[in-house]
Amino acid sequence: MSIINATNLRKTFKKIVALDDISLSVSGGQITGLVGPDGAGKTTLMRLFAGLMVKDSGTLEIFGYSLAKDTPKVQEDIGYMPQKFGLYEDLSVLENMKLYARLHLLDNNAAQKRIKELLKFTSLEKFQSFLASKLSGGMKQKLGLACTLLKKPKLLLLDEPGVGVDPISRRELWEMVRTLLEDDICIIWSTSYLDEASLFDHVILLNEGKILFDGKPKALTDTMAGRAFKIVGDIPDKRETLMLSLKYENVKDGVILGDKIKLICHDKDTLPPLDEIKAQGCHYEDADVTFEDGFLNILHVNFNGISKLAEQISEIKVESDYVIKATNITKKFGSFTATDNVNFKIKPGEIFGFLGPNGAGKSTTFKMLCGLIKPTSGTTEVLGYDLLNASIKAKMKIGYMSQKFSLYEDIAVIANLNFFAGIYGLKGKEKKQKVAAMLDIFSLQSYKNSPTKSLPLGYKQRLALACAVMHNPVVLFLDEPTSGVDPQTRREFWNHIYAMVQKGMTVMVTTHFMDEAEYCDRIALIYKAKVIALDTPHNLTLQVSKNATMEDAFIQLIKRDRRE
C-alpha cells in the first residue's frame, strides 16, 4: 500500500532547483532509503514530506490526503528526526522525553507509559538521569529516536540518523528501527553510509534534484557485475600502485582494501598491465561489487588519481624515525578517565588510523597531541615538540580539522579562508593565491560569498579541510573528516590524502567508515580509554577470521575486550 505519492514535485530556492519535477511512490511496512550526493535534494524532500516546506508545483499526497490542504491532519501521524535533532543539552534524558511528550500533547498517564516503553526499547533506562550533553553520539541518536517515537507515528522520517555514530551504535540503531516494521509503519531513512544501502528494502537515488534510480538496492549493485577486480600479492607501495592505476582511462575508480587494491574497469581486458603500475609478481582476481560501486557509476564518476591540492605542496622530508609519539598519556576530567595510559608512534609519511566507539577517547587524544589540552600524565611529541609549550612557528607545521565543524558559521566562506590564512602566517600575494587555489580545488567558488552556515554538510567539510591544509603542514590531524559527506566527496578527500602522503605528509585520522580504515597503513583501536589493538588493517581482520571485514574486526575486537 502506498503511503506517499508525489507527481511532478518541484521545489526551488531562488535560482537553485532543489527538486526537479520528480515523481515517486513510497510503500508502508518497509524501509525506503534516500541516497545521493550533498545537495541532491534529500533533506528538501524530507521536509516536504514532514509538511515543513511548501512545494512550488506538483502534487504530494500522504495517507491519501493532500499535504497542501490537510497538513495539520497529516502531521499528527508523522515523526521527523532531522539531521541535528533538537535535544536540550542541559536537560536529562528523562527530562527531554517528558518535554517532547508535552509538545506532542500526551496526557500524563499515556506519557509515563510510553516513556517507560521507549527507555527500554532504546536501552537508555540506566542513563535517564544523564544530561543529554554527556551522552555519546550513538546514545544521543537513540534519545532523538525515542523522542520522535513518543506519539507512535505511521510515517517515520529519519534524516541521516547514523552521522557521526560508530559501527556498533549504528547496528543497534538499525535493529531498533527494523523492529518498528512490526507495527507496519512506513520508514524513510536518508544516509551517506552506502554500506547501509543493502539493508534497505527500497532505494531512491537523487542527484541535482532528479531521481536517477528507484528500486531494490540489489538491482543497482548487479549493474556492476563483471567490472570489479582486485590486485592480489605483495604490492610494494599500494598508494603508488593505486595512483598509477587511476591514470588509465578505462579504470574508473579504485580503493585500497587492506593488503589488496580494488579497481573498477570496463572489463578484464582493459585492466592496466601489472608491471606498468609497479605490481610485478601480483595477479588480478574478480572482486565483489557493492552498492557504492553502482552509485558512483550511475553518477558517471571517474577518478583519475590527480590531486590539485597535492600539486601545490613541496616534497616534505623529516629526518627522525617517528613524527608523532604518545607515551603513557592519561587524561582525567575529575573522576572520569578519558584516556588511560595510551602509547603509539607514527612514522613519517604514514596514514595512521585511530578508531573506536563514540566516547572512547579519540578526540581527547587528538587534542593532547595538538597541544589544545594538557595530559594528566605522560608525554606527547609532534615533530619533536610538545605542542602545548611549543612556539607558534612549530605549531604552524601541523594542520588540524576537528570533529565538530570549528569554522565561523556566520561569516562568508571567503572570510573563513582569509582568516585562517592569516592565522597560519600567509600574507600578501601568497595568501591571495592560496585562497584562490582553495576555492578552485574544493569547488567553493560559487559559495565564496555565502554564509558558511548555509553550506551543505559536504561543502562545509571541504572548507574545513581547505583551511587545515592551505599552509602546507608537515603533519595533518583529521578528526572524522568525512562524517556525513557523500561517497563521491569522500573519494575526493582520500585522493587528496593519498597524494599529500606521497609528498611526505604524515596523517593521523579518525573515522566511523570502516572501508576508510582499510586505507590506513596502521590502525590503533581504542575502547574505554585504552588502546586494545594496534596493527595493519589486514592483520586486524585476520585476528577475527580470514574473510572478516574491517567492521567485523572492529565489533569483534571490542566484544572480546568486553568479555576479558
Side-chain angles (χ1 to χ4, degrees):
M1 175 185 172
S2 292
I3 301 297
I4 300 174
N5 286 292
T7 306
N8 299 329
L9 202 58
R10 186 175 181 83
K11 179 65 182 177
T12 59
F13 299 97
K14 295 182 180 178
K15 295 181 180 180
I16 298 172
V17 179
L19 296 173
D20 191 2
D21 295 319
I22 66 169
S23 299
L24 56 85
S25 178
V26 180
S27 300
Q30 65 178 20
I31 303 178
T32 297
L34 277 184
V35 299
D38 293 302
K42 303 187 295 295
T43 296
T44 300
L45 191 57
M46 284 276 200
R47 290 176 178 170
L48 284 175
F49 290 162
L52 301 175
M53 283 183 178
V54 178
K55 59 184 172 54
D56 295 341
S57 59
T59 61
L60 177 59
E61 291 186 352
I62 299 180
F63 309 127
Y65 295 102
S66 168
L67 203 60
K69 298 177 182 177
D70 303 296
T71 299
K73 187 181 293 185
V74 173
Q75 285 179 325
E76 289 177 8
D77 291 319
I78 294 176
Y80 175 47
M81 182 175 165
Q83 285 183 22
K84 293 183 179 180
F85 189 77
L87 296 176
Y88 291 86
E89 300 267 297
D90 54 348
L91 296 182
S92 69
V93 168
L94 183 59
E95 287 167 340
N96 266 286
M97 294 184 73
K98 285 182 176 179
L99 174 61
Y100 275 93
R102 290 194 205 102
L103 292 174
H104 289 311
L105 304 178
L106 297 179
D107 65 62
N108 285 338
N109 290 336
Q112 287 179 16
K113 182 181 178 183
R114 187 63 175 154
I115 288 171
K116 187 176 180 180
E117 290 173 356
L118 290 169
L119 285 171
K120 183 177 181 181
F121 177 66
T122 54
S123 303
L124 289 173
E125 293 166 298
K126 295 179 181 178
F127 304 96
Q128 56 186 293
S129 62
F130 280 46
L131 292 180
S133 60
K134 301 298 182 184
L135 300 179
S136 68
M139 292 171 73
K140 283 183 179 179
Q141 293 299 76
K142 289 180 184 179
L143 177 56
L145 179 62
C147 292
T148 305
L149 295 173
L150 278 164
K151 61 178 182 179
K152 293 187 177 181
K154 295 178 183 177
L155 171 61
L156 179 62
L157 305 172
L158 303 173
D159 196 359
E160 301 272 12
V163 168
V165 176
D166 65 76
I168 293 175
S169 297
R170 278 202 288 137
R171 281 196 181 185
E172 291 171 350
L173 199 62
W174 262 100
E175 288 168 4
M176 286 189 291
V177 173
R178 181 66 69 179
T179 302
L180 297 172
L181 295 179
E182 295 172 6
D183 295 327
D184 200 37
I185 71 173
C186 177
I187 300 169
I188 299 180
W189 179 314
S190 75
T191 185
S192 55
Y193 292 87
L194 292 195
D195 57 339
E196 293 180 338
S198 62
L199 302 175
F200 294 128
D201 301 301
H202 195 93
V203 168
I204 296 170
L205 194 162
L206 289 165
N207 185 44
E208 296 180 349
K210 294 182 180 290
I211 294 176
L212 300 187
F213 176 81
D214 187 346
K216 301 286 184 185
K218 188 176 182 299
L220 184 59
T221 304
D222 287 346
T223 62
M224 300 303 293
R227 294 189 57 189
F229 308 92
K230 56 188 175 184
I231 303 172
V232 179
D234 186 13
I235 308 168
D237 187 332
K238 293 189 291 293
R239 279 192 287 277
E240 184 179 15
T241 294
L242 175 60
M243 303 302 265
L244 288 171
S245 300
L246 290 171
K247 293 183 186 302
Y248 280 78
E249 185 179 351
N250 291 319
V251 177
K252 301 301 179 185
D253 188 20
V255 292
I256 294 171
L257 296 177
D259 63 339
K260 302 176 182 63
I261 295 174
K262 177 179 173 180
L263 301 178
I264 300 297
C265 209
H266 284 302
D267 53 55
K268 200 164 189 174
D269 294 334
T270 55
L271 285 166
L274 291 166
D275 59 338
E276 293 184 14
I277 56 173
K278 297 189 178 181
Q280 295 93 335
C282 300
H283 64 278
Y284 285 113
E285 292 181 4
D286 292 336
D288 293 333
V289 291
T290 65
F291 183 88
E292 185 167 310
D293 297 330
F295 173 94
L296 293 171
N297 181 62
I298 205 170
L299 292 175
H300 304 295
V301 173
N302 187 2
F303 296 102
N304 58 16
I306 296 171
S307 168
K308 289 184 180 179
L309 181 60
E311 289 174 352
Q312 308 228 349
I313 296 173
S314 302
E315 291 288 338
I316 298 169
K317 292 185 179 180
V318 179
E319 300 299 329
S320 58
D321 293 334
Y322 297 101
V323 174
I324 300 172
K325 294 181 185 178
T327 308
N328 302 323
I329 55 172
T330 295
K331 181 63 184 178
K332 293 185 177 182
F333 298 96
S335 60
F336 175 70
T337 302
T339 56
D340 188 0
N341 201 40
V342 168
N343 291 274
F344 55 81
K345 295 178 181 179
I346 303 176
K347 302 171 187 175
E350 187 174 22
I351 300 178
F352 188 83
F354 204 48
L355 272 62
N358 296 106
K362 302 186 298 297
S363 294
T364 300
T365 303
F366 261 48
K367 289 173 183 175
M368 285 189 284
L369 289 168
C370 293
L372 298 175
I373 57 175
K374 184 179 180 180
T376 305
S377 61
T379 60
T380 62
E381 283 184 32
V382 179
L383 296 167
Y385 302 103
D386 172 0
L387 290 179
L388 192 67
N389 303 307
S391 66
I392 292 295
K393 189 175 180 180
K395 291 179 179 179
M396 284 185 181
K397 292 182 179 180
I398 73 162
Y400 175 53
M401 181 175 167
S402 67
Q403 179 181 2
K404 292 186 178 178
F405 187 65
S406 57
L407 304 182
Y408 294 93
E409 296 232 325
D410 290 325
I411 65 175
V413 167
I414 195 163
N416 265 299
L417 286 168
N418 281 319
F419 174 77
F420 278 89
I423 288 290
Y424 286 124
L426 301 177
K427 298 177 182 177
K429 185 178 179 181
E430 183 187 16
K431 176 181 175 181
K432 189 174 182 180
Q433 288 175 343
K434 275 289 183 182
V435 169
M438 294 303 110
L439 289 170
D440 176 53
I441 291 166
F442 290 98
S443 303
L444 292 167
Q445 191 67 41
S446 61
Y447 293 103
K448 72 175 185 178
N449 295 315
S450 302
T452 300
K453 63 184 176 184
S454 70
L455 298 182
L457 179 58
Y459 282 91
K460 285 184 180 180
Q461 295 295 80
R462 286 177 178 178
L463 176 58
L465 181 59
C467 290
V469 300
M470 65 195 311
H471 61 297
N472 301 343
V474 178
V475 180
L476 181 60
F477 292 94
L478 301 173
D479 199 358
E480 296 189 27
T482 57
S483 179
V485 305
D486 64 79
Q488 184 174 346
T489 305
R490 285 204 292 132
R491 283 282 207 284
E492 290 171 4
F493 270 38
W494 278 96
N495 187 57
H496 292 315
I497 292 168
Y498 285 155
M500 289 189 294
V501 169
Q502 290 297 104
K503 289 287 188 79
M505 189 180 291
T506 304
V507 176
M508 184 175 178
V509 60
T510 71
T511 182
H512 286 317
F513 288 95
M514 292 298 100
D515 57 340
E516 289 185 351
E518 298 202 51
Y519 306 164
C520 302
D521 296 300
R522 288 187 301 142
I523 290 170
L525 179 56
I526 187 170
Y527 176 58
K528 288 189 174 179
K530 292 179 179 289
V531 172
I532 63 171
L534 200 166
D535 212 327
T536 64
H538 179 61
N539 287 342
L540 288 177
T541 57
L542 287 179
Q543 288 186 37
V544 176
S545 74
K546 185 179 179 180
N547 298 315
T549 64
M550 196 62 227
E551 182 165 318
D552 295 332
F554 180 96
I555 292 169
Q556 292 306 317
L557 289 171
I558 287 173
K559 286 183 176 179
R560 185 183 300 172
D561 190 76
R562 283 176 179 172
R563 290 194 297 269
E564 292 173 356

